[in-house]
Each structure stands twice: as C-alpha cells, then as structure tokens.
C-alpha cells in the first residue's frame, strides 16, 4: 500500500473512536446551530432590519461569533489528536512498527487537513440549510466579499490548527499544550491592549501578531464595506476611534506565513527529537 | 549479503545531557541466535534498542540491520522486525483488536493475521475490549501479538516479562521458545538474569552503557580456575588472600568464599592458608555459573542482590 494511503487509514482508525474528537466537533456543531437559529426564527417571522437571512447575505450572519471560535476548537482538537501519542508512546510504537518519524508528521498533517475541512464544512452546510429553510428570497451562493469571508475563515482555521500542531509537537502533552494555547491568547491580547498606549507606533506591527490577525479575519467589518460604514458611523457618534484594517491580502499572507512557519518548526522538531 | 549479521552495532553511543546512556557498544547478533542483552536497570538496554528501532538518534557510532546501515535501509529492514520497547505502547481508548489493526496497517498485513496473533497469545476472547481494561499480563501479551503480526525474522523484546507473575512469565517464555524453534532471531533484554538464562544461546552483559562481556553462555562463564573455600573466620581468610600472589579475585557469597586463581594449584592454596593458621572446612574447585558472572560483572549496581537472586 502507498504511504499516504497507509497514513490516512491509521489516522482514520485512531480518530474514529476518539471521544475527545467527537465531543469537540459536537460542541462546535451545537454552537453553530445555536448561532443560526435566532436569525432563522426572525426570518421566518417576517425578517428584521439589515440584509435578508438568505444566500448570499447569510454568510455574515453565520460566520460570526461564536462560530468564529471554531478555530480554537480546531486547535484544541488538533492537540487532542496529536499530543497524547507521545504520552501513550504510540508515536514511538508506530515508528517501531515501521513508520519513519517523517511519516508521523505527514500522518498528522492529514488529520490537520481533515479537521480544517470538517470545521469549514459545518458552518457552510448549516448556512446553506438555513438559507433553504428561510422564507427570504435566495440569491447566488456567494459574491466577492462573502468568498473573501469564507476564505478568511478557512485561513484562520489553518492558523489555530497550526498553533495546535506546533504545541502538540513540542510540548507533547495535551494538558500543557491546551494551557499554553489559551494562555498565549490571553497574554497577546493583554500586550496589544497595553503597548499601544505606551508606544503608539508599535500598533501597526502588533496587528500582525497571530491573535490580532485572527481577530481581524473574524470581523464582519473587515469583509463588508456596508458593515464597516455602519460600525464607524456608530463609533463616530460615540466619539470612539474609527475601525481601520490592513489590506485583505496582507492579512491573509501574514497568516499563511505563520502557518508555514509553525508547520516547518513542527516538522524539524518531529524529525530531530527522540521519541 | 546473506552472511551479514541480523544486528550489528559499531561503537554505538548515546549521550543524554549528562548521562552517557550507551557507550561504544559493539555487538553482532547472527541469524538464529537467542541473544540476551543483560544488565541492571539504567544500563542502557532500552536506549540501545531505541536506537536500533529509529526512535532515538545515536550521538556517535552506527549500526546495521540485516546488513543495511543507512536510514533508508534501516526503514526497509524494520519491516522484517517485530519489537516492543519498555512498556506496551497502545491507544487506551481503542480495543486490542483495533490497536493491532493500526500496527497491521503500518506493517501492511491483512486482518486475518490479527486474529491469528490474538489466538497465539491467548487474547482471542478479549480482542474487542478496550486496551485500558486489560491487566498488565494481557497488555504484555498484546504487545507480543503486535510483534508477531508481520511474521518477523527478528524479534526484539525489551524486558518482556517485566511485572508478570510466574505464570505469565512462563507463558512469555513459551512464546519466545516457539518463535526460536521457528528459526527466528531473538534479541531479548532483561535485568532479571534467571528470566532469560535458560533461553539464551548468546549473551551480552552491559553495565553503565558499556558491554562488559559478550559471547555464548559457555564463553561468558569464566574458564578461570576458581576455588570455593569455607572457613570459620572469613575476615582472616580475605586478609590472607590479599597477599596470595596466585589469587586474582575474591568474592564472599552465602556459599563461602570464591577465589579466582591463576593456576590449577588448589593444594598450594591449602598449604598457603594452613601456613597462616587458617584451616579450611571446605575447599573445592568451583564452576562459575552465568549468574556468578553476571553479578561479578555488574557488581555494585544493585543495592542488594535480592533482585537477581530471588
Ligand atoms: N530521554 C532520556 N533523557 C535523559 N536520560 C535518559 C533518557 N532515557 C534514558 N536515560 C538515562 O539513560 C540511562 C539508560 O537508560 P535505559 O536505556 O532506559 O536503561 P535500561 O533499559 O537498561 O534500564 C539511564 O541512566 C537513564 O536514566
Ligand atoms: Mg529498560
């Protein structure tokens, strides 16, 4: 059998009966449905203000909080499916049974890709289903801004997935890796809220830290000019600073660079360290 | 290369930060041997096997498996090996059967082989149960089943009877014997000599990462002349022997004092002792056992001898 086929099969056998995976995915599906339901109910009762709850406008209502927490769930799932292999010494046994250390990396890369696909498909399917149920008139699947939004969401899934991957490959224990992931999230947010007050010139660079990129890519205002105009109108009225974002492709490229970096470091770590 | 050893190591070494776990180990295991890799806890047995299996990178030296000495060759050679390392390493939430399915997929063998192997180790009835519900003995047997999946030419077992009750150890020994009878090469590590001594054709005795002695069991057991001496006052005997030019070693055991001699002259020893006022109650030629050799070579590494003597 070819190696990719072997790797896919063993990852499938391992994941299939892993309660932690189904629990994480289940909680995510639950959040997705809970997010979509109120909007769907409103639409069925005649609709509210703002764009209709139907394709293609539906995406800004689906890919919004708390579904934007999906990447975190993905990072957690990645850690749970990867890190314990060190504690159980099954990574070791897989190599003894005939895999190379590099194969371990590629096996987990397959899991990573499948997780991204799953966490991407859940809100998309939910959105399409909601649109079918919703009585409001349905248009095309997605236009430019919606496609950017979806792609941005997929990219941010990869970002936290690669963070989970890196932490699993280096910390090698799920408790520690999960702890550090959430701690990092908190610390980065603290730093980015304190530092600009102290040195405003640094803010531009801080915007390119992982959590800030994540924040940008999960904001509706980043994708939809009308939403940005509305938000800034309100901010202006309240005397707040207006929202400003970097270029779409600058943000996406920065995230992809992080993903490449984290995966690269993971690969080297996996290859070098003893099991 | 039909004649190349199944395992050959060349000054294989591993340095962990401060610890030199394996220190220039050079051994060769030939086809069909049951090779015992014996040493106290912490003497580097697991680390050595880990290097052979590609999970630990050597810091110096090299090794060949079935004559292959590069990384690619090692990987290919590993398909002809079945091995366990330290504790049985399995997914706790999966059944014994599913765990074997992972190994079987890697080794590219069919699922009928899984059932055969479960049968051989006596786990056929428990294959559907989760690994975490297994007793230690069952876990060890599942590990043995995993090593057998690909019908390997070389079986490497790291402390296979660790933590087993006497019945479990006997079962493990029986399985190893069956494998040996089928002509498999077996490489067995243990810190318990009696666990393996009856099975091994060849032994290496390791201590602090170094091979102290290697060869057939007969070769390991010293050909040196030894005398077993019993006296009233062991202290006086030891003091007297310290000056005896023919004595190369003295070791007092429960049985008496074993004196290693340069020559076969037991009468001379008797005269020497009598001249110093030491009268022996027993003096006889003493054949060293493998256990004696093991204790001698690894002396000082055990707090008490009970672990190997029990
Ligand atoms: N990963 C590691 N890091 C540091 N030291 C280690 C590591 N693994 C083993 N050692 C040390 O190397 C020595 C040999 O260990 P090991 O190969 O497990 O011995 P054995 O299997 O003979 O009991 C011990 O002193 C042990 O503490
Ligand atoms: Mg060991």
């Amino acid at each position: 059998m070819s190696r990719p086929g072997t790797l896919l099969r063993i990852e499938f056998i391992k994941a299939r009966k892993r309660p932690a995976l189904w629990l994480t995915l289940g909680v995510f599906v639950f959040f997705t449905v809970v997010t979509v339901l109120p909007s769907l109910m409103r639409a069925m009762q005649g609709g509210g203000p703002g764009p209709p709850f139907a394709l293609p406008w539906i995406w800004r209502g689906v890919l919004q909080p708390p579904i934007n927490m999906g990447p975190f769930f993905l990072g957690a799932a990645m850690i749970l499916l990867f890190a314990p292999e060190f504690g159980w010494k099954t990574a070791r046994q897989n190599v003894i049974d005939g895999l190379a250390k590099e194969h371990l990396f590629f096996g987990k890369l397959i899991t990573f890709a499948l997780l991204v696909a799953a966490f991407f498909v859940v809100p998309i399917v939910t959105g399409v289903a909601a649109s079918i149920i919703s009585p409001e008139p349905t248009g095309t699947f997605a236009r430019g801004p919606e496609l950017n939004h979806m792609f941005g969401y997929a990219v941010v899934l990869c970002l936290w997935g690669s963070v989970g991957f890196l932490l699993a490959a280096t910390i090698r224990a799920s408790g520690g890796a999960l702890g550090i992931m959430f701690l990092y999230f908190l610390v980065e947010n603290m730093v980015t809220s304190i530092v600009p007050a102290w040195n405003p010139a640094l803010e531009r660079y801080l915007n390119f830290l992982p959590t800030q990129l994540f924040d940008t890519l999960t904001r509706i205002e980043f994708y939809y000019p009308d939403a940005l105009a509305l938000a800034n109108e309100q901010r202006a009225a309240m005397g707040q600073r207006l929202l400003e974002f970097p270029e779409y492709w600058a943000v996406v490229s920065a995230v992809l660079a992080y993903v490449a970096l984290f995966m690269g470091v993971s690969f080297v770590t996996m290859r070098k360290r003893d099991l | 290369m039909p004649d190349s050893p199944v395992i050959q190591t060349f000054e294989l070494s591993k340095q962990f930060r401060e610890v030199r776990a394996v220190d220039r180990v050079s051994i060769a295991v030939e086809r069909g041997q049951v090779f015992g890799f014996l040493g106290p806890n912490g003497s580097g047995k697991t680390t050595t096997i880990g290097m052979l299996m590609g999970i630990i990178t050597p810091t110096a030296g090299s090794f060949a498996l079935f004559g292959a000495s590069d990384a690619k060759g090692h990987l290919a050679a590993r398909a002809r090996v079945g091995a366990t390392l330290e504790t049985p390493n399995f997914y706790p939430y999966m059944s014994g059967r599913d765990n074997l399915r992972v190994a079987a997929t890697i080794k590219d063998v069919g699922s009928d082989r899984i059932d055969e192997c479960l049968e051989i180790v006596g786990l056929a009835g428990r294959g559907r149960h989760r690994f975490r519900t297994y007793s230690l003995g069952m876990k060890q047997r599942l590990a043995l089943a995993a090593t057998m999946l690909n019908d390997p030419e070389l079986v490497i077992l790291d402390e296979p009877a660790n933590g087993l009750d006497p019945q479990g150890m006997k079962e493990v020994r029986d399985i190893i014997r069956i494998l040996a009878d089928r002509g498999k090469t077996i490489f067995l590590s243990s810190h318990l000599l009696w666990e393996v001594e009856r099975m091994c054709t060849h032994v290496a005795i390791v201590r602090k990462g170094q091979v102290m002695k290697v060869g057939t069991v007969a070769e390991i057991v010293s050909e040196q002349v030894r005398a077993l001496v019993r006296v009233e006052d062991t202290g006086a005997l030891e003091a007297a022997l310290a000056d005896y030019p023919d004595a190369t070693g003295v070791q007092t055991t429960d049985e008496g004092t074993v004196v290693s001699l340069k020559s076969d002259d037991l009468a001379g020893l008797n005269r020497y002792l009598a001249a110093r006022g030491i009268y022996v109650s027993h003096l006889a030629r003493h054949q060293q056992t493998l256990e004696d050799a093991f204790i001698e070579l690894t002396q000082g590494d055990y707090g008490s001898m009970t672990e190997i003597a029990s």
Side-chain angles (χ1 to χ4, degrees), chain A:
Chain A
M1 195 197 298
S2 68
R3 274 300 165 196
T6 306
L7 297 176
L8 177 62
R9 276 187 57 183
I10 64 171
E11 287 303 308
F12 177 73
I13 299 170
K14 293 175 193 174
R16 202 176 39 154
K17 291 192 179 153
R18 188 73 204 283
L21 169 66
W22 299 113
L23 191 71
T24 318
L25 211 52
V27 170
F28 179 59
V29 170
F30 174 78
F31 270 130
T32 310
V33 172
V34 163
T35 311
V36 169
L37 268 186
S39 310
L40 183 59
M41 308 252 262
R42 215 177 310 121
M44 291 173 81
Q45 285 158 7
F53 195 67
L55 292 173
W57 301 277
I58 202 165
W59 298 118
R60 68 175 74 184
V62 173
L63 298 173
Q64 64 157 6
I67 291 177
N68 66 6
M69 293 309 283
F72 273 115
F73 283 92
L74 174 75
M78 192 67 237
I79 288 172
L80 291 171
L81 288 182
F82 189 178
E85 297 244 19
F86 299 101
W88 294 331
K89 301 198 171 167
T90 44
R92 196 183 235 216
Q93 191 63 41
N94 286 172
V95 169
I96 291 171
D97 288 338
L99 293 186
K101 280 187 192 167
E102 291 81 4
H103 292 142
L104 291 181
F105 173 86
F106 288 113
K108 290 305 168 192
L109 194 61
I110 292 174
T111 296
F112 177 46
L114 293 179
L115 281 177
V116 169
F119 278 80
F120 184 74
V121 161
V122 167
I124 300 300
V125 167
T126 309
V128 170
S131 181
I132 291 167
I133 298 168
S134 169
E136 310 212 31
T138 285
T140 55
F141 176 70
R143 300 161 305 183
E146 286 89 12
L147 287 176
N148 279 351
H149 193 180
M150 284 181 194
F151 187 66
Y153 171 70
V155 160
V156 97
L157 283 176
C158 292
L159 175 65
W160 286 106
S162 67
V163 168
F165 199 105
L166 175 67
L167 291 174
T170 51
I171 311 283
R172 297 187 165 192
S174 32
L178 288 172
I180 290 184
M181 186 166 85
F182 287 108
L183 204 66
Y184 175 79
F185 180 72
L186 294 179
V187 168
E188 197 201 293
N189 274 329
M190 253 159 58
V191 167
T192 48
S193 62
I194 293 169
V195 170
W198 167 71
N199 185 348
L202 289 176
E203 188 168 7
R204 278 182 53 205
Y205 304 103
L206 293 176
N207 279 337
F208 284 90
L209 286 175
T211 302
Q212 305 314 303
L213 291 171
F214 161 77
D215 190 53
T216 303
L217 280 169
T218 50
R219 268 173 184 267
I220 290 172
E221 296 86 0
F222 181 59
Y223 302 99
Y224 306 101
D226 60 318
L228 178 63
L230 188 65
N232 277 341
E233 217 170 275
Q234 288 167 354
R235 280 170 173 259
M238 289 164 69
Q240 288 173 339
R241 245 181 60 197
L242 299 188
L243 287 176
E244 271 178 291
F245 296 109
E247 278 285 306
Y248 178 79
W249 286 107
V251 173
V252 166
S253 309
V255 172
L256 292 177
Y258 275 121
V259 173
L261 173 71
F262 295 159
M263 298 310 280
V265 173
S266 303
F267 181 72
V268 172
T269 306
M270 291 283 293
R271 192 178 189 156
K272 276 210 160 160
R273 269 174 68 178
D274 293 336
L275 288 172

